[in-house]
Amino acid sequence: MPITNVTGANIPDKLTMAQTACTQSIQHLRNAIKSLKDNSINEEQRKWLNHYFLLGNDNTEIPAEIIQILKTTKRALKHENITVNIAFYNYVNKNNPNVINLARSQFNQAHQAIRYLIHEASHLYADTKDHSERGYTDNAGNYRQPGLTKEEALNNADSYACFISSFNGLRL
């Protein structure tokens, strides 16, 4: 199992919870990657793709970098020995490459744990960025502030996390 340790808060079964979130994240990433590679996404999924990556409503092309970042994130979640630290907020530190810090409030909700595990893993292993409030989404899937460019969206951690969550029918 790629998540080998959970530190921080005293939560019963926290290792099992983290491992379950990781397993589900990998499955959700796998589902999206296969559908994107086969170009077999439905209308709703295409809407989310175009929305989170600012591709335009009529877009039918799937940029290769999206699939590559999803594959890199999935591969890391599947093969790296990761420690999850339950913290006050979500973050990673590139100087501590196998630790993902997840906020306790999100860790305790499965759909949030999946979203933020993908978000932080994409930073750590696929080198995605945050673009301040322009790149963060609210729980309805809307960017908090306008101004994110298409190029930024293609390298934005929350774009990937929210796309995977929405693609697989999870609440944000």
Side-chain angles (χ1 to χ4, degrees), residues 9 11 84-91 100-109 112-113 116-117 120:
I11 298 172
V84 170
N85 181 53
I86 302 169
F88 186 67
Y89 59 95
N90 305 306
Y91 68 98
I100 295 176
N101 297 278
L102 294 179
R104 182 181 184 143
S105 60
Q106 276 118 16
F107 181 81
N108 284 326
Q109 300 178 57
Q112 291 285 315
Y116 288 103
L117 188 60
E120 298 304 334

Side-chain angles (χ1 to χ4, degrees), residues 20 59 67 69-70 88 104 117 122 124 128 130-131 141 155 157:
T20 300
N59 176 66
I67 296 171
I69 287 173
L70 294 173
F88 186 67
R104 182 181 184 143
L117 188 60
S122 77
L124 203 53
T128 60
D130 288 327
H131 297 283
N155 193 36

Side-chain angles (χ1 to χ4, degrees), residues 125-167:
Y125 302 108
D127 204 31
T128 60
K129 308 291 182 223
D130 288 327
H131 297 283
S132 65
E133 292 298 304
R134 295 176 298 118
Y136 289 122
T137 60
D138 59 25
N139 287 340
N142 299 308
Y143 289 105
R144 292 182 191 168
Q145 289 183 357
L148 190 71
T149 68
K150 176 183 172 185
E151 290 73 28
E152 290 171 331
L154 290 170
N155 193 36
N156 183 50
D158 227 28
S159 297
Y160 289 92
C162 291
F163 170 68
I164 292 299
S165 292
S166 298
F167 185 92

